Amino acid sequence: LVSTVYEAAIAYVAAMSPALELVEEMGVEAVVDLPSGTELVPHLLQRYPDAKVVVTVRDSAAKWYRSYWEHFRWASVFPPCFTHPFVTYWRDITASTGCGFLTRFPPRFPAAERLACMAAYDEHLELMRRIVPEEQLLVFNVREGWEPLARFLGLQPPECRPFPR
């Protein structure tokens, strides 16, 4: 599913060129999470060939799913006729990752869809490993703390601040 989203997003990204130019004009140095996820990475790497990419991971797809569900599940309490832009945005995001059932009303979480959602997580990691040059990619579990992140970014780990939990 991520591959299908990836292919469809290539056309979308072409339309994003003015937005990327604006990001550049504004001096933005980093983007995180959505919407800069899977579909923009190739475009961003083309525009910024020396960019570093940090992909955060959980200990397993099941743990990632639990966190993802906690984050998006609130949108499932709204019926489809509720079209607030933020709820619509969350529904679009979850649909694009293969996890659209998380925001479906009324809430239902079939095992097959849950497994497909977790498989999309694994596919995303695989895709990032395939398209980002190894020396520019850090697959980072936050349980590791500051050290690998700081080393990857060429910085010293902060001594006065513990890693946020």
Side-chain angles (χ1 to χ4, degrees):
L1 180 59
V2 171
S3 299
T4 304
V5 171
Y6 175 75
E7 291 167 7
I10 295 300
Y12 165 76
V13 168
M16 290 295 295
S17 189
L20 291 171
E21 289 172 17
L22 181 60
V23 164
E24 196 169 281
E25 287 175 25
M26 294 171 62
V28 173
E29 294 182 14
V31 292
V32 297
D33 208 21
L34 303 165
S36 63
T38 305
E39 65 274 3
L40 288 182
V41 170
H43 221 57
L44 289 168
L45 285 172
Q46 183 178 2
R47 190 175 281 264
Y48 306 101
D50 298 325
K52 294 186 177 192
V53 177
V54 178
V55 177
T56 57
V57 296
R58 300 288 178 160
D59 292 334
S60 67
K63 287 187 178 184
W64 168 83
Y65 171 80
R66 177 68 185 185
S67 173
Y68 196 80
W69 176 76
E70 290 286 341
H71 187 72
F72 287 104
R73 69 185 170 133
W74 64 269
S76 69
V77 301
F78 299 105
C81 61
F82 186 79
T83 58
H84 186 278
F86 198 67
V87 172
T88 301
Y89 173 72
W90 272 160
R91 287 178 178 147
D92 290 347
I93 292 300
T94 59
S96 75
T97 61
C99 303
F101 67 94
L102 291 174
T103 58
R104 184 172 51 221
F105 178 85
R108 295 181 311 279
F109 306 108
E113 289 182 326
R114 191 170 55 249
L115 292 173
C117 185
M118 288 188 279
Y121 166 84
D122 290 331
E123 289 176 26
H124 170 74
L125 294 178
E126 185 180 311
L127 179 63
M128 292 297 101
R129 286 183 174 118
R130 201 169 55 246
I131 65 174
V132 179
E134 186 176 338
E135 65 279 2
Q136 291 173 242
L137 177 66
L138 174 63
V139 177
F140 177 63
N141 188 320
V142 295
R143 291 186 327 121
E144 299 174 72
W146 286 119
E147 184 60 36
L149 181 60
R151 184 177 48 245
F152 179 70
L153 297 174
L155 303 170
Q156 291 295 318
E159 294 178 22
C160 62
R161 173 174 273 170
F163 195 82
R165 299 285 176 214

